[in-house]
Amino acid sequence: MEQDFSTCDIAKHPLMRDTAILPTPAVELFVNVVRTWLELLLPGGIIWGNFRTGKTQAIRYFLSNSHELLGMRIPTYFLSAWDTDGQAVSENRFYSEMLSVLGYGLTYKGTGLIKRRRAIDFVVDEVRRMKEHRALLFVDEAQWLNQRMYRFLMDFHNQLKKADVRLVVILVGQPEILETREEMRGLRKGHIIGRFMTATHQFRGAQLADLERMALAMDQVSEFPVGSGCSYTEFFLPRAYRAGWRLEENMPRIWQILKSTCSEGGLSEISELPMQGVSAMLRALMREFRQLDCCTFALPEDVVRDVISTVALQQFHDHAVQVAPRA
Amino acid sequence: MRSHVLNAAFDEPQKSGRFINRPERWFRASESLWSVVHKWAFLNHLSWAEIRELVAPIASRAKSGSQSPWAWGEHEVLLLASHLNLLTREFEFSTLDKFLFPPRQYRNWRAWYAEELRFCPECIRTGFHSALHQLLYLTKCPWHGVHLLDRCVHGNSVDSRFGCQQLVKPYSCVDGVPLWDGLHDPEWPCVAASARDAVPEQLSAWVQNISAQQPSRNIFAVRLNRRDGVAKESIADNFADSCDWRSFEPEIVNFLTRLVEGPEWLGSSRGGYSTGEITSAALTIDRVELNRIEAPRWPFRIPEIDSVPYEWEAYRSEVPTTDRYWTDLRYRCLRTRRSVVDSFAGILERHRGSCPAQWSATGVVPGGVCHLQYAVTNCRILFGVDQRRLGGDDSDSREDWRCLRPAIARTLDAQLERLLVWLGVPWQVLQVASTECARLVAWLVDQATAALVRNVLERLLFDSVNAQCKFSESRSGVTRGGAVPRVPLMEQDSFVGFTPDRWASPFAVTANPSQGEVNFHAYFGIPLRRWTQLADDSELCRETGMSPVTPAIVRDVLRRLDIQDARHGHHEHGALS
């Protein structure tokens, strides 16, 4: 029986709310790397990538699906580092953030010492409750971690180790974190490098293969409304979808249009695309396609070109400009 | 249905704040609030200020000082449960509300539990404490049958209130030593699910049964409604609303008896009463088993219901369950009286110096007046009751009870129970006293002792006068029993105007002054026991240093007491000579 979702509020769609995480090869690679480090019990590693390439989204995806992805329950936490702007970070502030990250019920009360103890005991308690011996901590924007924060992290790591809990710290950040590592190497801070920077992995932005994979997911493995059995593509283009139109099959053509539009806009070569721009492009495309939905729907190239140039081109351009010097 | 992979982030649950908690390792659904909060504080390094902020209502957060866990309301419990990820109903027996089913109806119900921590050493060894242990009328742990402690190993009491000082070292005494040895263990012992469930099931079974009973009058209401000039707001009147024990199921009565440990004479009951232990199996005692209890051998015949005086009727109507149950209790009560009398000789010797001056010269009847001297004196001493303090209005009285409660609770021991029995305080009163309301008995005794002494003495002297005929019968070999003339005060007609002022001992004492023989009678005039060994044996007289009763002594007492008996025309001083 065919369902009619034309009356559904499009604004509630995960794609429109930017809450859908599209599984790209980059995300899968990210997951595999984390799994490997966890299995090898590496105390920590660096995952770096250019800005807006979807690192944070990948972490969120991992956190949401850690049980399925790892095949076991491991306490997983997500700390977002903050720019101290040269200010000293107190133990109290650090552990307040840590308690908040851990999901502790009381984050703002007590001395730094008490909060430290609470954070350690809390992780130990969670690990034991899950009958595990490992805990995973993602530190996003890790390029902002300063020496003091590293020291607190080290202490946290050591205390947990004393309680037979292995904390695996994944530092996720922009390429500056590599500079931090080199700097520490120069300063002979081997104790920090040896704990949190034992391995590195680059998180890349989207390419054609990524777009195709995303399109496949939108055609087949996505679903909205939940339980309806309706994929994203079917939601936006119900008639065309029933007539056999698929986004994945049209993605090479969209990629060509994207490349030509970019070259016209001054971007001669595309090494990787920022995920934010790609998401915006897909969002805008599906919204425009929805207006044109019919049984004989065919990819409207002029519409695609317009969407790319108005929504994504600027972001692609900015990304290419800022990434180029680093490269 | 398709995969939700793409929606995973969209459906990401919002984490609410959580605390370090090991419910499967320590929490039992009947654990007291004190225990729960102390463990929570220990695991999470929480101070009292933090706990208060988390749990207390906004309005009371600013209040400083300690808080009693037993005064916590629903709001606090609700918040505590939410912080601990537990259900509110799991705290059903964590407070005292459920256990204070009769006293909760009284305005001074807070005086029924201890502020200092009382705990069972066996329970605390497993990291468990129940609110039940805080009840002052409970002396033994219902689960283990061992005496409850209110002191740590250093001999100090542990304040059960929550406060900054009390929570510096949670679950510890003032010296910082944990009450529970396993507190600092990294792994607390798992509590089996069956053990977790058993306790609340037991508790809820009888609490619900009791709660379902309709309040009715009780012995106090019966007694005091007949009393003229009693203020409606008196303490005893409050008992009019307490539960009617007759309507309880036998197993509930059994459980209650165990719970409150019961009077001493219940200890050896074959029915399993008051063994001091609660087991789930014990709760299954049914009526059949109860009926199997062999009736004791009666020292006297049970009179016809129509001929019994009011007091007897009250006994009959206020007994907890069956006649057999009642008779069992009654028999033991009487037996205890005998042992009391037997033991008085030595006690008298030790307390001779403490008798009031006005009685000291009246070594009238061994086992009679001097015993009353002892009783009165020692009641005062034991209770510490000052007549003036208790004679004011009700508010003053309540304050007095509050002050007296700890002292009375401590001193209401077996000796005092025996003393009260001997004084003639009905066993119902005594039972309630030892179980529910020590203070009330203090009050009753204080109020009634003067009248009691007067009446008993009066009867004693009357009986001394009447003794001639009784002992003439005795000499002639006539068997005592229903043929013995009733004591005047105990005749049914006399009970029409019965008031506490004339409330007397259930004993009627007759004496043979010339031969030093003392006889005791029950209210209804049937000889209860003839303790001839007391008077016949002059050993008591030697021990007490008193002379046997002589007519001269009786006359002296009559003169001193200024007792004139208009009802008995033959009562003349000279008649004794």
Side-chain angles (χ1 to χ4, degrees):
Chain A
M1 183 181 165
E2 292 177 2
Q3 292 172 292
D4 183 15
F5 299 108
S6 57
T7 54
C8 280
D9 187 0
I10 191 174
K12 289 182 180 173
H13 196 282
L15 201 64
M16 294 297 139
R17 294 176 61 186
D18 198 20
T19 54
I21 299 171
L22 306 176
T24 62
V27 171
E28 283 183 358
L29 207 55
F30 171 88
V31 170
N32 285 336
V33 165
V34 173
R35 274 189 63 167
T36 309
W37 291 355
L38 206 55
E39 284 165 8
L40 296 177
L41 276 184
L42 294 187
I46 296 174
I47 294 180
W48 65 277
N50 290 313
F51 66 97
R52 312 314 308 166
T53 48
K55 299 184 296 295
T56 307
Q57 289 289 81
I59 297 173
R60 286 185 61 200
Y61 174 73
F62 188 94
L63 289 173
S64 311
N65 302 283
S66 62
H67 179 45
E68 290 81 11
L69 295 173
L70 298 174
M72 64 191 87
R73 288 200 180 278
I74 291 181
T76 310
Y77 310 106
F78 177 31
L79 173 70
S80 186
W82 63 97
D83 189 358
T84 58
D85 200 18
Q87 301 286 319
V89 179
S90 68
E91 188 181 36
N92 197 314
R93 168 76 199 278
F94 179 81
Y95 280 108
S96 287
E97 294 288 340
M98 187 62 86
L99 285 172
S100 174
V101 162
L102 298 179
Y104 192 76
L106 190 67
T107 57
Y108 55 94
K109 281 274 181 181
T111 62
L113 199 66
I114 292 277
K115 287 177 181 173
R116 169 179 170 270
R117 202 64 252 169
R118 281 176 188 159
I120 292 162
D121 287 354
F122 187 84
V123 173
V124 171
D125 184 58
E126 282 226 320
V127 166
R128 286 196 179 139
R129 209 151 37 82
M130 293 185 183
K131 296 182 171 45
E132 252 297 327
H133 65 285
R134 296 167 294 183
L136 187 60
L137 175 65
F138 287 103
V139 183
D140 199 13
E141 308 296 355
Q143 70 277 2
W144 282 336
L145 289 176
N146 59 25
Q147 297 284 328
R148 207 167 159 75
M149 288 176 174
Y150 276 117
R151 277 209 291 276
F152 291 140
L153 263 180
M154 264 180 59
D155 174 53
F156 192 55
H157 186 276
N158 291 344
Q159 292 299 321
L160 288 175
K161 195 172 180 183
K162 213 184 273 183
D164 295 328
V165 172
R166 295 299 297 265
L167 180 69
V168 178
V169 181
I170 312 287
L171 302 178
V172 181
Q174 293 176 25
E176 286 91 330
I177 193 170
L178 297 175
E179 295 168 15
T180 308
R181 188 182 62 168
E182 292 307 315
E183 194 180 318
M184 286 187 177
R185 194 167 282 165
L187 293 170
R188 306 177 73 82
K189 302 266 185 192
H191 53 285
I192 295 177
I193 295 172
R195 273 191 180 81
F196 306 124
M197 301 172 177
T198 52
T200 54
H201 167 73
Q202 185 181 2
F203 191 91
R204 295 187 181 278
Q207 292 167 327
L208 175 60
D210 295 304
L211 287 177
E212 283 178 340
R213 181 70 192 280
M214 289 159 70
L216 178 68
M218 288 178 66
D219 284 341
Q220 292 181 7
V221 297
S222 56
E223 186 180 57
F224 184 84
V226 176
S228 64
C230 175
S231 70
Y232 286 7
T233 309
E234 187 181 358
F235 181 87
F236 288 102
L237 298 158
R239 294 189 189 90
Y241 188 86
R242 270 176 237 128
W245 190 87
R246 294 293 181 269
L247 182 62
E248 186 205 1
E249 293 166 3
N250 291 274
M251 194 48 81
R253 181 62 197 141
I254 294 173
W255 179 257
Q256 282 178 3
I257 297 169
L258 189 145
K259 280 181 78 173
S260 64
T261 310
C262 286
S263 63
E264 285 168 15
L267 278 174
S268 55
E269 193 177 340
I270 299 173
S271 59
E272 65 173 18
L273 295 174
M275 189 53 72
Q276 181 177 277
V278 171
S279 297
M281 182 186 76
L282 284 175
R283 197 159 42 241
L285 281 177
M286 297 313 281
R287 199 174 56 188
E288 293 300 322
F289 289 173
R290 187 180 170 87
Q291 311 292 330
L292 307 170
D293 180 35
C294 62
C295 299
T296 56
F297 179 77
L299 187 70
E301 296 188 4
D302 51 339
V303 172
V304 174
R305 190 167 285 109
D306 281 351
V307 164
I308 291 172
S309 58
T310 54
V311 175
L313 186 60
Q314 185 65 45
Q315 292 186 51
F316 295 161
H317 189 267
D318 290 346
H319 183 80
V321 168
Q322 293 192 28
V323 166
R326 284 175 185 157
Chain B
M1 187 170 149
R2 298 179 188 217
S3 165
H4 289 221
V5 171
L6 292 188
N7 287 335
F10 179 65
D11 297 331
E12 184 182 348
Q14 291 298 311
K15 256 189 171 179
S16 59
R18 212 172 63 76
F19 288 88
I20 302 168
N21 195 3
R22 304 174 185 171
E24 75 283 2
R25 297 203 171 269
W26 58 269
F27 185 77
R28 287 186 235 172
S30 54
E31 191 154 2
S32 72
L33 276 181
W34 177 87
S35 185
V36 172
V37 170
H38 273 255
K39 284 175 180 173
W40 186 37
F42 173 78
L43 288 173
N44 293 276
H45 312 276
L46 293 172
S47 68
W48 167 236
E50 290 163 346
I51 290 174
R52 192 172 51 192
E53 182 140 335
L54 289 165
V55 169
I58 295 171
S60 66
R61 280 180 194 170
K63 288 179 187 171
S64 58
S66 305
Q67 270 186 22
S68 172
W70 321 121
W72 273 23
E74 285 180 10
H75 180 88
E76 287 93 339
V77 173
L78 191 70
L79 284 172
L80 179 66
S82 71
H83 288 312
L84 294 176
N85 284 333
L86 294 169
L87 300 172
T88 315
R89 64 179 163 79
E90 293 183 279
F91 289 88
E92 190 178 4
F93 299 105
S94 296
T95 59
L96 279 167
D97 287 358
K98 289 281 180 185
F99 302 120
L100 290 170
F101 44 89
R104 195 70 173 82
Q105 301 167 18
Y106 315 124
R107 282 171 291 181
N108 60 344
W109 63 274
R110 287 176 197 276
W112 289 68
Y113 59 82
E115 285 290 0
E116 69 272 12
L117 190 74
R118 302 170 93 231
F119 57 92
C120 163
E122 295 295 326
C123 289
I124 214 88
R125 198 168 291 153
T126 61
F128 176 73
H129 175 260
S130 168
L132 202 65
H133 295 150
Q134 290 302 117
L135 297 175
L136 281 172
Y137 60 73
L138 196 68
T139 56
K140 284 185 177 178
C141 173
W143 291 281
H144 296 100
V146 298
H147 278 284
L148 298 174
L149 304 177
D150 60 355
R151 294 282 189 276
C152 67
V153 290
H154 308 96
N156 299 317
S157 63
V158 182
D159 194 347
S160 74
R161 293 175 303 168
F162 297 144
C164 297
Q165 292 297 321
Q166 292 87 337
L167 283 161
V168 167
K169 286 206 167 183
Y171 231 90
S172 302
C173 65
V174 289
D175 299 290
V177 177
L179 296 170
W180 169 30
D181 293 336
L183 183 69
H184 290 283
D185 290 352
E187 289 288 327
W188 287 351
C190 262
V191 181
S194 57
R196 281 207 301 270
D197 298 340
V199 174
E201 275 177 15
Q202 287 174 1
L203 293 175
S204 64
W206 67 266
V207 165
Q208 282 168 13
N209 272 323
I210 288 165
S211 306
Q213 305 299 328
Q214 289 298 316
S216 72
R217 65 177 196 167
N218 68 359
I219 185 69
F220 301 104
V222 171
R223 190 181 297 283
L224 292 169
N225 281 346
R226 287 169 167 261
R227 184 181 172 192
D228 296 330
V230 175
K232 197 175 180 182
E233 290 292 313
S234 72
I235 292 170
D237 275 357
N238 285 328
F239 277 81
D241 295 329
S242 67
C243 296
D244 184 354
W245 286 32
R246 279 178 303 163
S247 53
F248 295 163
E249 289 301 307
E251 57 265 34
I252 300 302
V253 174
N254 183 18
F255 185 87
L256 280 172
T257 313
R258 288 166 183 276
L259 191 68
V260 300
E261 196 180 16
E264 183 190 358
W265 52 81
L266 287 172
S268 57
S269 168
R270 289 170 53 193
Y273 306 116
S274 187
T275 52
E277 293 179 16
I278 294 176
T279 61
S280 53
L283 290 170
T284 61
I285 292 174
D286 55 10
R287 280 187 191 281
V288 178
E289 186 174 345
L290 203 66
N291 289 335
R292 234 180 274 137
I293 299 168
E294 188 182 342
R297 292 174 59 194
W298 281 90
F300 51 83
R301 178 177 60 87
I302 300 177
E304 294 298 323
I305 189 68
D306 294 335
S307 65
V308 296
Y310 162 74
E311 196 72 354
W312 176 258
E313 191 179 358
Y315 281 150
R316 299 267 304 175
S317 61
E318 299 298 333
V319 291
T321 52
T322 61
D323 281 348
R324 288 182 182 220
Y325 181 81
W326 175 81
T327 53
D328 191 31
L329 288 174
R330 175 85 178 156
Y331 173 67
R332 293 171 193 287
C333 176
L334 297 175
R335 203 173 60 180
T336 308
R337 290 182 188 180
R338 181 181 171 182
S339 68
V340 171
V341 174
D342 289 345
S343 65
F344 259 138
I347 298 170
L348 269 175
E349 185 61 29
R350 289 197 298 275
H351 290 85
R352 279 180 68 191
S354 60
C355 292
Q358 64 266 35
W359 302 109
S360 59
T362 59
V364 183
V365 181
V369 174
C370 288
H371 297 173
L372 287 176
Q373 291 173 10
Y374 167 80
V376 174
T377 306
N378 287 283
C379 274
R380 299 276 180 186
I381 292 168
L382 287 169
F383 287 128
V385 176
D386 184 343
Q387 183 73 34
R388 286 169 300 177
R389 293 180 67 195
L390 299 176
D393 60 23
D394 286 323
S395 59
D396 290 342
S397 298
R398 280 196 298 278
E399 283 304 308
D400 284 337
W401 300 131
R402 198 186 298 276
C403 299
L404 289 170
R405 176 181 52 78
I408 292 173
R410 280 195 293 272
T411 54
L412 193 69
D413 55 6
Q415 182 192 357
L416 185 56
E417 285 183 5
R418 291 197 297 271
L419 188 63
L420 292 170
V421 170
W422 190 85
L423 273 171
V425 176
W427 68 264
Q428 288 100 331
V429 179
L430 189 62
Q431 187 182 34
V432 175
S434 62
T435 58
E436 287 188 315
C437 183
R439 295 160 295 150
L440 184 63
V441 165
W443 180 77
L444 281 173
V445 168
D446 199 66
Q447 293 291 312
T449 299
L452 180 70
V453 170
R454 189 167 64 247
N455 285 338
V456 172
L457 265 183
E458 190 178 11
R459 190 169 343 102
L460 174 70
L461 294 172
F462 286 145
D463 291 343
S464 297
V465 173
N466 293 331
Q468 296 298 324
C469 65
K470 294 177 185 174
F471 290 115
S472 63
E473 288 174 7
S474 180
R475 282 193 200 110
S476 63
V478 174
T479 308
R480 292 171 187 272
V484 174
R486 292 184 174 188
V487 179
L489 272 179
M490 297 299 113
E491 285 183 357
Q492 195 168 358
D493 289 343
S494 303
F495 277 91
V496 174
F498 180 81
T499 66
D501 286 343
R502 301 191 66 77
W503 181 37
S505 165
F507 286 120
V509 185
T510 61
N512 184 344
S514 59
Q515 297 187 8
E517 183 176 344
V518 181
N519 292 291
F520 289 81
H521 297 262
Y523 267 154
F524 28 86
I526 299 171
L528 186 65
R529 181 80 193 186
R530 188 182 174 200
W531 277 289
T532 51
Q533 69 272 24
L534 261 182
D536 286 338
D537 189 357
S538 56
E539 188 181 342
L540 179 64
C541 297
R542 284 199 301 276
E543 281 184 4
T544 57
M546 296 175 187
S547 308
V549 178
T550 63
I553 293 174
V554 174
R555 274 199 298 276
D556 182 48
V557 172
L558 284 171
R559 185 173 52 76
R560 282 167 182 263
L561 295 175
D562 193 23
I563 294 175
Q564 299 295 329
D565 183 18
R567 289 169 296 183
H568 298 270
H570 63 279
H571 176 22
E572 294 175 2
H573 295 177
L576 287 170
S577 55

